[in-house]
Amino acid sequence: MQDLSTSLVLIAFLAIAAPLAARFLDRVVKVPIVVFELILGILLGPSVLGWIQSTDFTDTLADFGLAMLFFVAGNEIDVALIRGRPAARAAAGWAMSLAAGIGAGFLLAPTPAAATIIGVALCSTALGALLPILRDAGESRSPLGVAVTALGAAGEFGPLIAISLFFSGRQPGPAAGVLLGFVALTGLAVFLASRARHTLLHSQVTRTLHTSGQFAVRSIMFILTVLVVLSMVLGLDMLLGAFAAGVLWKVAMARAPKPDRELIEAKVDAVAFGFLVPVFFIDTGIDYELHALTASPAALALVPLFLVLLLVLRGGPSLLAAPPRAPASTKRAIMLFGATGLPIIVAVTSIGRDQDLISSGIASALVGAGMLSVLVFPLLALRQYQRGGKAPAAPEERGAQGQVLGP
């Protein structure tokens, strides 16, 4: 009990220290808060100081944080914004990344299972981490933001499908059948939600927005829990259910009054990024096996190698989603954003370690490369984009006289 109390207090302290550290360095360099959460977790965890020990309770909170991160990612995807060319090209790029990643995995790991884990990790894009960065930069609905959102949707949903197919414990045939059943069920729920008016839901949400009832937040937790539990019961990855829950809630609230939607999003951000998501990233740092890198020069050398592979194998195919006639600076930014990955890397390497499919050295190197990608790539991407000028608007965003109408 004493270890748990100490860990909880220190984790809460680190959750406060991370944004303060980011604010302190803001004038020099803009570093995502998640980087500080990870680094502080490593420093105070068993790998360095040993002040915080991972417990079952903190691990459970971290799982909720990861699920909430994927719910937010699903909830922030504007299907109407990315459908068509952006979504199709992003999906094609992801498929190329997966194939190339598995091919690279076979060169680095001795078994097909290990190669698949490496391939899934290298084809991911951290949409949940990128959306706040784009939103803070005012680029969430720009041509760059549309391309990155499409890339992130493919780079999070695609790996979740791959994880559910290859690591569910079933044969590929039955696993595919269960997965198709889950997708069909959630797809039907999304379709029905898009056709219904949800008058009672919206009125109840409006009545309780400023009361202790908080029907919207409670409904979100219910939908999230139901789909996460359903995915786990079916032997699928829980993050698939969390992602689907975010999409379903987005559709259900589409016709709600705009002020209500904005207030609910603020509440969701408060629960996610003010509480649960920081616990996930701090706990990831606490559990990080730094000794697996420091004790093995070969494992340590894999970190820069995996970082380069993320840039080449994931960032390269991401260029397919670039807006038409985009300048070179925008394409470089898209490549860097597309190569930014961490949550899926943490999830798939955890599965690999739990099933003894990959070594701790490979797992730590992959997570280390993911950490560096979150630290370096978004910063470089924004600098490239801001220095080189913005991409032109899509043809449908121009008026009859050629004036740009969109953002």
Side-chain angles (χ1 to χ4, degrees):
M1 180 61 69
Q2 185 175 1
D3 289 341
L4 175 59
S5 301
T6 302
S7 296
L8 288 176
V9 171
L10 289 176
I11 288 174
F13 170 74
L14 295 184
I16 294 176
L20 292 177
R23 176 72 179 274
F24 179 75
L25 293 178
D26 189 58
R27 294 183 179 180
V28 180
V29 59
K30 290 185 179 296
V31 180
I33 293 176
V34 299
V35 173
F36 291 101
E37 292 166 349
L38 289 164
I39 293 175
L40 290 173
I42 294 173
L43 288 177
L44 270 68
S47 294
V48 183
L49 296 177
W51 293 357
I52 304 178
Q53 301 296 325
S54 183
T55 66
D56 290 339
F57 182 73
T58 56
D59 286 343
T60 300
L61 280 180
D63 288 340
F64 273 106
L66 183 57
M68 199 66 188
L69 184 65
F70 276 79
F71 173 89
V72 171
N75 184 58
E76 294 209 22
I77 292 176
D78 190 336
V79 178
L81 193 66
I82 67 172
R83 68 184 176 188
R85 181 185 185 278
R89 285 178 167 263
W94 176 80
M96 292 172 59
S97 296
L98 176 63
I102 293 176
F106 272 109
L107 299 177
L108 298 170
T111 64
T116 303
I117 287 175
I118 293 173
V120 172
L122 292 178
C123 73
S124 65
T125 298
L127 179 62
L130 292 178
L131 285 176
I133 296 173
L134 291 170
R135 188 170 52 200
D136 291 345
E139 299 290 346
S140 58
R141 298 186 68 84
S142 68
L144 172 71
V146 172
V148 174
T149 300
L151 288 171
E156 288 205 335
F157 187 70
L160 293 179
I161 295 293
I163 290 173
S164 298
L165 277 176
F166 299 133
F167 304 109
S168 64
R170 297 186 178 94
Q171 293 297 321
V178 172
L179 178 61
L180 288 175
F182 178 84
V183 171
L185 182 63
T186 54
L188 177 62
V190 169
F191 173 75
L192 294 176
S194 68
R195 301 299 296 270
R197 297 186 62 86
H198 304 292
T199 305
L200 292 177
L201 171 64
H202 296 164
S203 62
Q204 181 65 17
V205 165
T206 301
R207 282 197 298 266
T208 60
L209 275 176
H210 302 283
T211 71
S212 60
Q214 296 295 324
F215 189 76
V217 177
R218 297 183 188 206
S219 298
I220 287 171
M221 298 309 297
F222 173 73
I223 294 172
L224 176 61
T225 303
V226 167
L227 288 181
V228 164
V229 170
L230 177 62
S231 61
M232 294 172 65
V233 168
L234 295 176
L236 306 174
D237 191 270
M238 73 166 188
L239 301 181
L240 188 62
F243 192 87
V247 175
L248 180 60
W249 179 256
K250 174 87 171 183
V251 172
M253 294 301 295
R255 294 189 179 96
K258 184 177 179 180
D260 291 357
R261 295 200 310 269
E262 292 176 347
L263 183 56
I264 293 168
E265 289 175 3
K267 293 176 182 289
V268 171
D269 283 349
V271 174
F273 299 106
F275 172 38
L276 292 171
V277 174
V279 175
F280 161 68
F281 283 113
I282 293 170
D283 190 72
T284 299
I286 294 170
D287 290 335
Y288 186 66
E289 296 179 289
L290 185 61
H291 61 85
L293 292 181
T294 57
S296 171
L300 189 61
L302 286 176
V303 176
L305 175 60
F306 283 138
L307 188 65
V308 172
L309 289 176
L310 277 171
L311 185 60
V312 174
L313 303 184
R314 180 63 188 131
S318 297
L319 293 175
L320 288 176
R325 301 179 304 279
S329 58
T330 298
K331 292 181 178 179
R332 289 193 293 268
I334 289 173
M335 184 176 180
L336 289 161
F337 276 129
T340 303
L342 182 61
I344 288 290
I345 295 176
V346 172
V348 73
T349 53
S350 296
I351 293 173
R353 291 296 296 132
D354 291 342
Q355 299 182 15
D356 290 327
L357 300 177
I358 58 173
S359 66
S360 59
I362 290 178
S364 298
L366 279 168
V367 175
M371 291 181 187
L372 289 175
S373 74
V374 173
L375 170 63
V376 177
F377 290 164
L379 177 64
L380 294 178
L382 285 177
R383 286 186 175 180
Q384 286 289 321
Y385 185 63
Q386 291 165 355
R387 288 177 181 177
K390 297 186 177 182
E396 60 270 18
E397 296 177 318
R398 297 179 181 271
Q401 302 301 320
Q403 181 181 6
V404 177
L405 301 178

